[in-house]
């Protein structure tokens, strides 16, 4: 398929690195009208914008910075509204077509050695941060009576995590949030789904795991390898696009069939 996102405005949290950056790139390849990437860090935002603008010169690409741990709904909503105000349709009407909530953090500690506050921080960023993004996107899309929200769950939220209770709990919460908002917003022609990645080759994964641990993990995956970010990004593109028009409140595993 080509031009799956033609004419659409897409807002992506966590868009400066890893899965988020790959998703931004694939959205542009698929003809998105405009893409906004959000990063916690101004320097990574600027590096991502530079790379995308060099690859896609003349396209509508903008960046925002906020920290999901502390950002208010007002701040998040203001960024979304500013974004769509820059790129109205031919009739001057603003539109937010898709929001990909990808930003998140992980941890790799057992209950014996987890630092104080880590569990709470992971839940604040991954679950409460996703809720605030989803709510602001949902209010805009509810009013315009269409749109797609794609959250980032994890197989850790499905099966649990032996080395990260906070991460597994937060992603389990994202699954419940996705199913609930999907049921609610379906009445307004707004779709809410989630991608559940397995282990992905990103900076965050490499930081949290030794090479030995990564080799062990590969043995638990039916395909015997970890995922590349683009493989996750393609599912975000599909769910954000009109090709997924009958997908609602679903959790889509992209995990190479992780068996344990």
């Amino acid at each position: 398929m080509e031009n799956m996102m033609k004419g659409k405005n897409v807002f992506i949290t966590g868009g400066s690195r890893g899965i988020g950056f790959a998703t931004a790139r694939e959205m542009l390849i698929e003809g998105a009208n405009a893409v906004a990437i959000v990063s916690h860090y101004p320097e990574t935002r600027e590096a991502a914008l530079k790379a995308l603008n060099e690859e896609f010169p003349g396209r509508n690409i903008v960046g925002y910075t906020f920290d999901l741990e502390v950002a208010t709904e007002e701040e998040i909503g203001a960024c979304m509204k500013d974004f769509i105000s820059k790129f109205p349709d031919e009739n001057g009407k603003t539109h937010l077509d898709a929001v990909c909530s990808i930003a998140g953090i992980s941890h790799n500690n057992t209950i014996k050695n987890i630092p104080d506050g880590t569990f709470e921080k992971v839940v604040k960023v991954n679950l409460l941060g996703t809720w605030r993004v989803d709510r602001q996107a949902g209010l805009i899309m509810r009013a315009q009576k269409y749109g797609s929200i794609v959250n980032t769950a994890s197989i850790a939220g499905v099966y649990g995590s032996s080395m990260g209770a906070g991460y597994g709990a937060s992603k389990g919460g994202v699954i419940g949030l996705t199913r609930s908002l999907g049921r609610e917003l379906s009445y307004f022609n707004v779709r809410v789904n989630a991608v559940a990645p397995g282990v992905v080759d990103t900076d965050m994964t490499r930081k949290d795991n030794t090479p030995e641990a990564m080799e062990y993990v590969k043995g638990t995956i039916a395909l015997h390898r970890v995922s590349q970010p683009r493989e996750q990004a393609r599912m975000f593109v599909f769910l954000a696009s009109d090709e997924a028009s009958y997908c609602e409140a679903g959790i889509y595993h992209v995990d190479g069939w992780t068996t344990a």
Side-chain angles (χ1 to χ4, degrees), residues 178-179 192-195 239 247-252:
T178 299
R179 293 198 185 283
V192 187
N193 295 285
V195 179
L239 291 172
C247 297
E248 181 67 280
I251 312 301
Y252 295 86

Side-chain angles (χ1 to χ4, degrees), residues 177-190:
L177 174 66
T178 299
R179 293 198 185 283
S180 296
L181 285 180
R183 286 178 175 271
E184 175 184 340
L185 293 175
S186 63
Y187 293 99
F188 303 93
N189 193 34
V190 176

Side-chain angles (χ1 to χ4, degrees), residues 113-147:
N113 65 15
I114 186 172
D116 290 345
T118 296
F119 185 99
E120 292 84 354
K121 180 174 182 175
V122 171
V123 171
K124 284 179 182 177
V125 173
N126 293 355
L127 179 54
L128 297 181
T130 298
W131 154 247
R132 289 191 288 268
V133 170
D134 283 8
R135 182 166 185 259
Q136 290 303 304
L139 290 172
I140 294 171
M141 293 175 178
R142 187 181 190 271
Q144 67 189 20
K145 292 187 168 52
Y146 71 89

Side-chain angles (χ1 to χ4, degrees), residues 132-170:
R132 289 191 288 268
V133 170
D134 283 8
R135 182 166 185 259
Q136 290 303 304
L139 290 172
I140 294 171
M141 293 175 178
R142 187 181 190 271
Q144 67 189 20
K145 292 187 168 52
Y146 71 89
S148 175
I149 298 170
V150 189
N151 290 329
T152 308
S154 169
I155 58 165
V158 178
Y159 304 126
S161 172
S162 61
M163 285 291 287
Y167 186 73
S170 68

